[in-house]
Each structure stands twice: as structure tokens, then as C-alpha cells.
Amino acid sequence: MRMKTKNSIRLSYLLWALLPLAVGGLSALLSMNGMKENELLPQPALQPPGWAFSLAWAILYLLMGIGAGLVQNAEPRGRKDALVPFFAQLALNFIWSPLFFVWKLRLAAFFVLLGMLGAAVWMTVSFYRVRKSAGYLQIPYLLWLCFAGYLNLASYLLNG
């Protein structure tokens, strides 16, 4: 078995942190025009300003990636299986923005968000089993997804 160096571990954390940021950034880029149009529609109560979404998602993606890095760099016990829900929720996360903003399929996006929440719970538990700190880092994401579910459903009810 090959020994990990400090530099390879640092690079690993950097790559894991950048992965969700890149996926989220690409999804946002593909949905940018729809996001601008959405701002003109009636918004749910408690709707944060646009800049807050960017900041929140950047932080959440970083926490997600750091958690994945902690799992990847942990001892092999359960490590590979714990990353499956990470990729599942990341794929659902990528799909959500185009569904909601580009294709305006707000109800379908809500159900994708529920799947994302389920996958995020699975990821959190899986991460926790490998490295407790990796699981704890996902709690803000779970809370945000609950809030995002409210916003998504309220937007569907307001705008169809």
C-alpha cells in the first residue's frame, strides 16, 4: 500500500472541495437566464436576496467537499460506499437548477429536491460512520435543503 504524503492529502482536499463548487457553478451558469427571469415573479415569504443564495451555496458546497475529502482520506473502512450518496446528491443538485429555472418545472424540481434531501441524509449518515466530523459538516446542508424545499414549493404554488 502506498503511503500518502502531506502534499497529496492537501491536493486531495482541494480537489474534493472544488468538485461540488464546479458542479454547482456549471449548473448555475446553465440556468443564469432563468434565474434572472425568476426574480421578476412573485416570490415566497422569507425569500432571501439573490446574493445570499450564491454565498450560501458556496459555503455548502465547500462543506460538502471538505466532508468528502475527510471520508476519502480516512481509513478504508466504508470509505468507498460513503461516497456513493455524495455523488448521488451532487447529480440531483446539478439537475435541480435547470428544472426549476430553465424549464420552469417547479413541481418536478420540488420532487428532485426531496430526492436530494434523502440522498443528503444518506450522505450525512454515511459520512458520520466513516468520520464523525464529515457528517457534522453536512448539517447546514440538510437545514438549507429543508428551507429550499419550502421556497421551491411556495414558488410552485405562487407561479405554477
Side-chain angles (χ1 to χ4, degrees), residues 54-109:
S54 299
L55 178 62
W57 278 112
I59 292 168
L60 295 171
Y61 286 138
L62 282 172
L63 292 175
M64 195 185 301
I66 292 167
L70 287 168
V71 167
Q72 175 63 33
N73 288 301
E75 293 300 314
R77 183 183 59 98
R79 178 174 82 185
K80 192 174 185 179
D81 291 341
L83 292 172
V84 170
F86 168 79
F87 287 109
Q89 65 78 31
L90 198 55
L92 291 169
N93 194 304
F94 179 81
I95 292 165
W96 184 88
S97 288
L99 271 176
F100 187 90
F101 293 112
V102 177
W103 300 309
K104 297 170 182 47
L105 298 171
R106 290 177 180 84
L107 187 58

Side-chain angles (χ1 to χ4, degrees), residues 36-153:
K36 290 176 184 173
E37 291 174 16
N38 189 67
E39 290 175 6
L40 303 174
L41 298 175
Q43 299 298 318
L46 306 177
Q47 177 80 14
W51 63 265
F53 284 100
S54 299
L55 178 62
W57 278 112
I59 292 168
L60 295 171
Y61 286 138
L62 282 172
L63 292 175
M64 195 185 301
I66 292 167
L70 287 168
V71 167
Q72 175 63 33
N73 288 301
E75 293 300 314
R77 183 183 59 98
R79 178 174 82 185
K80 192 174 185 179
D81 291 341
L83 292 172
V84 170
F86 168 79
F87 287 109
Q89 65 78 31
L90 198 55
L92 291 169
N93 194 304
F94 179 81
I95 292 165
W96 184 88
S97 288
L99 271 176
F100 187 90
F101 293 112
V102 177
W103 300 309
K104 297 170 182 47
L105 298 171
R106 290 177 180 84
L107 187 58
F110 176 72
F111 286 110
V112 167
L113 196 144
L114 291 178
M116 193 187 329
L117 179 59
V121 168
W122 177 27
M123 175 182 70
T124 302
V125 170
S126 297
F127 279 16
Y128 181 85
R129 288 180 177 154
V130 175
R131 293 261 314 249
K132 288 181 178 165
S133 57
Y136 289 134
L137 286 173
Q138 307 318 305
I139 293 171
Y141 183 45
L142 295 175
L143 296 172
W144 181 262
L145 287 176
C146 292
F147 180 61
Y150 152 75
L151 292 174
N152 187 153
L153 186 59

